[in-house]
């Protein structure tokens, strides 16, 4: 549903869900989490890829983009509230610095974790792992 909403708004986004699975989640919270990740990806990249599937006893969701990515040294810092890589003081050009902090809180509130790595697409990969 989240990906369909972004597609309707003209975002270049692909989604692949491997199989079917039930995951007890707070629906609106997880929607906000995914929207935060996709919004960041669309701000910096031209195309987004979302995948979900079972991996080693957990549900894994990845959001990849083809943007510039985040330097490895900065990847943990972006989860701090109000931390922004864009030093502009104008929130119109870079946000408030809360999106990834909120996303991490939502994921951890579901007993999972989120990690940022380099995407095979050249940009950033956000990988969420949630227990089944």
């Amino acid at each position: 549903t989240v990906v369909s909403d972004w597609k309707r708004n003209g975002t270049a986004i692909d989604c692949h869900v491997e199989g079917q699975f039930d995951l007890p989640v707070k629906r609106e919270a997880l929607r906000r989490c995914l929207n935060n990740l996709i919004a960041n990806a669309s701000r910096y990249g031209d195309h987004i890829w979302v995948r979900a599937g079972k991996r080693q006893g957990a549900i894994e969701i990845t959001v990849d983009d083809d943007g510039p990515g985040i330097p490895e040294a900065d990847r943990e810092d972006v989860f701090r509230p109000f931390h922004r890589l864009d030093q502009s003081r104008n929130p119109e050009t870079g946000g408030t610095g809360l999106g990834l902090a909120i996303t991490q809180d939502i994921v951890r509130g579901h007993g999972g974790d989120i990690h940022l790595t380099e995407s095979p697409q050249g940009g950033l990969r956000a990988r969420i792992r949630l227990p089944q």
Side-chain angles (χ1 to χ4, degrees), residues 6 9 14-15 23 26 28-29 40 42 44 52-53 64-66 76 84 87 92 99 104 117-118 121 125:
W6 282 90
N9 290 327
D14 292 323
C15 182
L23 188 61
K26 296 177 183 171
E28 289 307 311
N40 283 346
S42 70
Y44 299 106
D64 288 300
D65 67 58
D66 59 357
E76 287 301 314
R84 293 177 53 202
Q87 297 304 313
E92 295 293 322
Q104 185 180 55
T117 59
E118 187 174 326
Q121 308 301 332
R125 168 173 279 179

Side-chain angles (χ1 to χ4, degrees), residues 15-21 50-55 59-60 62:
C15 182
H16 178 75
V17 178
E18 300 167 3
Q20 289 191 337
F21 45 86
V50 178
R51 288 184 84 91
K54 295 179 186 178
R55 301 276 186 284
I59 300 300
E60 186 173 279
T62 59

